Amino acid sequence: MDAAVALAALSDYCKQNSSFVPRISQLTTRWHAHVAGYDVEVLCTGPKFFDTRAKKGGGGALDLTMHLAKLDFKQAVALLRAKGL
């Protein structure tokens, strides 16, 4: 699953930065979002993500959910199911 799709489903607010110019992969997009009570800036390239403020990344909707919502595996699966992902 595309990380940007998962980010949009998890966030209270999510907006793509249209002025962002990627340096490595032209498929990379930068997003500003409000998730679980705090603001994040996330780079997304397909299923991979990188949180620029926390300096952490990963791959897949589960990793993104566990990182942003600070949940364990089972809780992240339940949240994604609740969101219909």
Side-chain angles (χ1 to χ4, degrees), residues 52-72:
T52 60
R53 295 176 184 174
K55 305 228 185 296
K56 289 189 177 185
L62 271 173
D63 275 354
L64 181 63
T65 304
M66 289 169 50
H67 169 67
L68 292 179
K70 301 191 183 337
L71 301 174
D72 65 24

PDB file of all heavy atoms in Angstrom, residues 52-72:
ATOM      1  N   THR A  52      10.717  13.109   8.745  1.00  0.00           N
ATOM      2  CA  THR A  52      11.896  13.979   8.759  1.00  0.00           C
ATOM      3  C   THR A  52      12.199  14.553  10.139  1.00  0.00           C
ATOM      4  O   THR A  52      13.350  14.839  10.439  1.00  0.00           O
ATOM      5  CB  THR A  52      11.724  15.139   7.764  1.00  0.00           C
ATOM      6  OG1 THR A  52      10.576  15.904   8.121  1.00  0.00           O
ATOM      7  CG2 THR A  52      11.573  14.613   6.347  1.00  0.00           C
ATOM      8  N   ARG A  53      11.195  14.723  10.961  1.00  0.00           N
ATOM      9  CA  ARG A  53      11.414  15.305  12.291  1.00  0.00           C
ATOM     10  C   ARG A  53      11.928  14.267  13.285  1.00  0.00           C
ATOM     11  O   ARG A  53      12.793  14.559  14.101  1.00  0.00           O
ATOM     12  CB  ARG A  53      10.142  15.960  12.793  1.00  0.00           C
ATOM     13  CG  ARG A  53       9.757  17.147  11.919  1.00  0.00           C
ATOM     14  CD  ARG A  53       8.479  17.785  12.300  1.00  0.00           C
ATOM     15  NE  ARG A  53       8.163  18.836  11.333  1.00  0.00           N
ATOM     16  CZ  ARG A  53       7.044  19.504  11.321  1.00  0.00           C
ATOM     17  NH1 ARG A  53       6.117  19.267  12.226  1.00  0.00           N
ATOM     18  NH2 ARG A  53       6.826  20.422  10.414  1.00  0.00           N
ATOM     19  N   ALA A  54      11.393  13.056  13.207  1.00  0.00           N
ATOM     20  CA  ALA A  54      11.831  11.988  14.111  1.00  0.00           C
ATOM     21  C   ALA A  54      13.048  11.256  13.556  1.00  0.00           C
ATOM     22  O   ALA A  54      13.679  10.476  14.263  1.00  0.00           O
ATOM     23  CB  ALA A  54      10.698  10.992  14.345  1.00  0.00           C
ATOM     24  N   LYS A  55      13.365  11.493  12.287  1.00  0.00           N
ATOM     25  CA  LYS A  55      14.487  10.839  11.602  1.00  0.00           C
ATOM     26  C   LYS A  55      14.342   9.314  11.627  1.00  0.00           C
ATOM     27  O   LYS A  55      15.289   8.585  11.896  1.00  0.00           O
ATOM     28  CB  LYS A  55      15.816  11.264  12.191  1.00  0.00           C
ATOM     29  CG  LYS A  55      16.003  12.768  12.209  1.00  0.00           C
ATOM     30  CD  LYS A  55      17.317  13.183  11.665  1.00  0.00           C
ATOM     31  CE  LYS A  55      17.582  14.665  11.771  1.00  0.00           C
ATOM     32  NZ  LYS A  55      16.713  15.518  11.016  1.00  0.00           N
ATOM     33  N   LYS A  56      13.108   8.845  11.351  1.00  0.00           N
ATOM     34  CA  LYS A  56      12.825   7.410  11.311  1.00  0.00           C
ATOM     35  C   LYS A  56      12.024   7.106  10.060  1.00  0.00           C
ATOM     36  O   LYS A  56      11.203   7.914   9.633  1.00  0.00           O
ATOM     37  CB  LYS A  56      12.029   6.969  12.528  1.00  0.00           C
ATOM     38  CG  LYS A  56      12.823   6.981  13.809  1.00  0.00           C
ATOM     39  CD  LYS A  56      12.051   6.340  14.912  1.00  0.00           C
ATOM     40  CE  LYS A  56      12.919   6.299  16.166  1.00  0.00           C
ATOM     41  NZ  LYS A  56      12.272   5.577  17.243  1.00  0.00           N
ATOM     42  N   GLY A  57      12.261   5.944   9.518  1.00  0.00           N
ATOM     43  CA  GLY A  57      11.529   5.532   8.331  1.00  0.00           C
ATOM     44  C   GLY A  57      11.203   4.065   8.383  1.00  0.00           C
ATOM     45  O   GLY A  57      11.540   3.359   9.330  1.00  0.00           O
ATOM     46  N   GLY A  58      10.543   3.615   7.343  1.00  0.00           N
ATOM     47  CA  GLY A  58      10.173   2.213   7.254  1.00  0.00           C
ATOM     48  C   GLY A  58       9.398   1.961   5.987  1.00  0.00           C
ATOM     49  O   GLY A  58       9.363   2.802   5.090  1.00  0.00           O
ATOM     50  N   GLY A  59       8.771   0.816   5.939  1.00  0.00           N
ATOM     51  CA  GLY A  59       8.019   0.455   4.758  1.00  0.00           C
ATOM     52  C   GLY A  59       6.710  -0.208   5.109  1.00  0.00           C
ATOM     53  O   GLY A  59       6.664  -1.076   5.984  1.00  0.00           O
ATOM     54  N   GLY A  60       5.662   0.238   4.478  1.00  0.00           N
ATOM     55  CA  GLY A  60       4.361  -0.378   4.663  1.00  0.00           C
ATOM     56  C   GLY A  60       3.477   0.368   5.626  1.00  0.00           C
ATOM     57  O   GLY A  60       3.929   1.144   6.476  1.00  0.00           O
ATOM     58  N   ALA A  61       2.180   0.127   5.479  1.00  0.00           N
ATOM     59  CA  ALA A  61       1.179   0.808   6.298  1.00  0.00           C
ATOM     60  C   ALA A  61       1.311   0.443   7.777  1.00  0.00           C
ATOM     61  O   ALA A  61       1.092   1.285   8.648  1.00  0.00           O
ATOM     62  CB  ALA A  61      -0.223   0.470   5.793  1.00  0.00           C
ATOM     63  N   LEU A  62       1.680  -0.802   8.051  1.00  0.00           N
ATOM     64  CA  LEU A  62       1.838  -1.204   9.460  1.00  0.00           C
ATOM     65  C   LEU A  62       2.969  -0.451  10.138  1.00  0.00           C
ATOM     66  O   LEU A  62       2.801   0.055  11.252  1.00  0.00           O
ATOM     67  CB  LEU A  62       2.084  -2.712   9.563  1.00  0.00           C
ATOM     68  CG  LEU A  62       0.842  -3.565   9.670  1.00  0.00           C
ATOM     69  CD1 LEU A  62       1.198  -5.034   9.594  1.00  0.00           C
ATOM     70  CD2 LEU A  62       0.079  -3.261  10.922  1.00  0.00           C
ATOM     71  N   ASP A  63       4.114  -0.371   9.489  1.00  0.00           N
ATOM     72  CA  ASP A  63       5.239   0.376  10.058  1.00  0.00           C
ATOM     73  C   ASP A  63       4.864   1.832  10.281  1.00  0.00           C
ATOM     74  O   ASP A  63       5.181   2.412  11.326  1.00  0.00           O
ATOM     75  CB  ASP A  63       6.454   0.317   9.133  1.00  0.00           C
ATOM     76  CG  ASP A  63       7.317  -0.905   9.330  1.00  0.00           C
ATOM     77  OD1 ASP A  63       7.046  -1.667  10.276  1.00  0.00           O
ATOM     78  OD2 ASP A  63       8.252  -1.094   8.544  1.00  0.00           O
ATOM     79  N   LEU A  64       4.203   2.424   9.312  1.00  0.00           N
ATOM     80  CA  LEU A  64       3.809   3.828   9.427  1.00  0.00           C
ATOM     81  C   LEU A  64       2.835   4.024  10.583  1.00  0.00           C
ATOM     82  O   LEU A  64       2.993   4.948  11.387  1.00  0.00           O
ATOM     83  CB  LEU A  64       3.179   4.296   8.116  1.00  0.00           C
ATOM     84  CG  LEU A  64       2.739   5.755   8.058  1.00  0.00           C
ATOM     85  CD1 LEU A  64       3.929   6.680   8.215  1.00  0.00           C
ATOM     86  CD2 LEU A  64       2.020   6.035   6.755  1.00  0.00           C
ATOM     87  N   THR A  65       1.868   3.143  10.699  1.00  0.00           N
ATOM     88  CA  THR A  65       0.887   3.232  11.781  1.00  0.00           C
ATOM     89  C   THR A  65       1.547   3.042  13.136  1.00  0.00           C
ATOM     90  O   THR A  65       1.277   3.796  14.085  1.00  0.00           O
ATOM     91  CB  THR A  65      -0.222   2.176  11.586  1.00  0.00           C
ATOM     92  OG1 THR A  65      -0.804   2.367  10.300  1.00  0.00           O
ATOM     93  CG2 THR A  65      -1.287   2.283  12.659  1.00  0.00           C
ATOM     94  N   MET A  66       2.413   2.052  13.253  1.00  0.00           N
ATOM     95  CA  MET A  66       3.106   1.810  14.519  1.00  0.00           C
ATOM     96  C   MET A  66       3.954   3.017  14.906  1.00  0.00           C
ATOM     97  O   MET A  66       3.987   3.415  16.077  1.00  0.00           O
ATOM     98  CB  MET A  66       3.964   0.550  14.409  1.00  0.00           C
ATOM     99  CG  MET A  66       3.148  -0.723  14.358  1.00  0.00           C
ATOM    100  SD  MET A  66       4.049  -2.225  13.916  1.00  0.00           S
ATOM    101  CE  MET A  66       5.439  -2.204  14.987  1.00  0.00           C
ATOM    102  N   HIS A  67       4.615   3.622  13.930  1.00  0.00           N
ATOM    103  CA  HIS A  67       5.486   4.769  14.208  1.00  0.00           C
ATOM    104  C   HIS A  67       4.677   6.006  14.598  1.00  0.00           C
ATOM    105  O   HIS A  67       4.923   6.610  15.644  1.00  0.00           O
ATOM    106  CB  HIS A  67       6.358   5.079  12.990  1.00  0.00           C
ATOM    107  CG  HIS A  67       7.079   6.378  13.092  1.00  0.00           C
ATOM    108  ND1 HIS A  67       8.074   6.602  14.020  1.00  0.00           N
ATOM    109  CD2 HIS A  67       6.926   7.542  12.423  1.00  0.00           C
ATOM    110  CE1 HIS A  67       8.509   7.850  13.898  1.00  0.00           C
ATOM    111  NE2 HIS A  67       7.816   8.439  12.932  1.00  0.00           N
ATOM    112  N   LEU A  68       3.712   6.379  13.769  1.00  0.00           N
ATOM    113  CA  LEU A  68       3.002   7.633  14.000  1.00  0.00           C
ATOM    114  C   LEU A  68       2.051   7.585  15.186  1.00  0.00           C
ATOM    115  O   LEU A  68       1.955   8.546  15.948  1.00  0.00           O
ATOM    116  CB  LEU A  68       2.229   8.043  12.745  1.00  0.00           C
ATOM    117  CG  LEU A  68       3.079   8.438  11.543  1.00  0.00           C
ATOM    118  CD1 LEU A  68       2.183   8.799  10.382  1.00  0.00           C
ATOM    119  CD2 LEU A  68       4.009   9.589  11.885  1.00  0.00           C
ATOM    120  N   ALA A  69       1.346   6.472  15.351  1.00  0.00           N
ATOM    121  CA  ALA A  69       0.376   6.367  16.441  1.00  0.00           C
ATOM    122  C   ALA A  69       0.987   5.779  17.707  1.00  0.00           C
ATOM    123  O   ALA A  69       0.311   5.662  18.727  1.00  0.00           O
ATOM    124  CB  ALA A  69      -0.819   5.529  15.997  1.00  0.00           C
ATOM    125  N   LYS A  70       2.275   5.396  17.615  1.00  0.00           N
ATOM    126  CA  LYS A  70       3.001   4.811  18.755  1.00  0.00           C
ATOM    127  C   LYS A  70       2.250   3.596  19.316  1.00  0.00           C
ATOM    128  O   LYS A  70       1.956   3.513  20.507  1.00  0.00           O
ATOM    129  CB  LYS A  70       3.259   5.852  19.827  1.00  0.00           C
ATOM    130  CG  LYS A  70       4.065   7.026  19.299  1.00  0.00           C
ATOM    131  CD  LYS A  70       4.537   7.922  20.368  1.00  0.00           C
ATOM    132  CE  LYS A  70       5.276   9.140  19.908  1.00  0.00           C
ATOM    133  NZ  LYS A  70       5.922   9.193  18.658  1.00  0.00           N
ATOM    134  N   LEU A  71       1.959   2.652  18.419  1.00  0.00           N
ATOM    135  CA  LEU A  71       1.222   1.441  18.762  1.00  0.00           C
ATOM    136  C   LEU A  71       2.086   0.210  18.553  1.00  0.00           C
ATOM    137  O   LEU A  71       3.063   0.256  17.807  1.00  0.00           O
ATOM    138  CB  LEU A  71      -0.021   1.313  17.865  1.00  0.00           C
ATOM    139  CG  LEU A  71      -1.037   2.447  17.919  1.00  0.00           C
ATOM    140  CD1 LEU A  71      -2.109   2.240  16.870  1.00  0.00           C
ATOM    141  CD2 LEU A  71      -1.650   2.553  19.298  1.00  0.00           C
ATOM    142  N   ASP A  72       1.705  -0.888  19.201  1.00  0.00           N
ATOM    143  CA  ASP A  72       2.373  -2.153  18.912  1.00  0.00           C
ATOM    144  C   ASP A  72       1.699  -2.782  17.684  1.00  0.00           C
ATOM    145  O   ASP A  72       0.746  -2.233  17.129  1.00  0.00           O
ATOM    146  CB  ASP A  72       2.363  -3.093  20.123  1.00  0.00           C
ATOM    147  CG  ASP A  72       0.975  -3.555  20.537  1.00  0.00           C
ATOM    148  OD1 ASP A  72       0.042  -3.559  19.708  1.00  0.00           O
ATOM    149  OD2 ASP A  72       0.811  -3.935  21.714  1.00  0.00           O
TER     150      ASP A  72
END
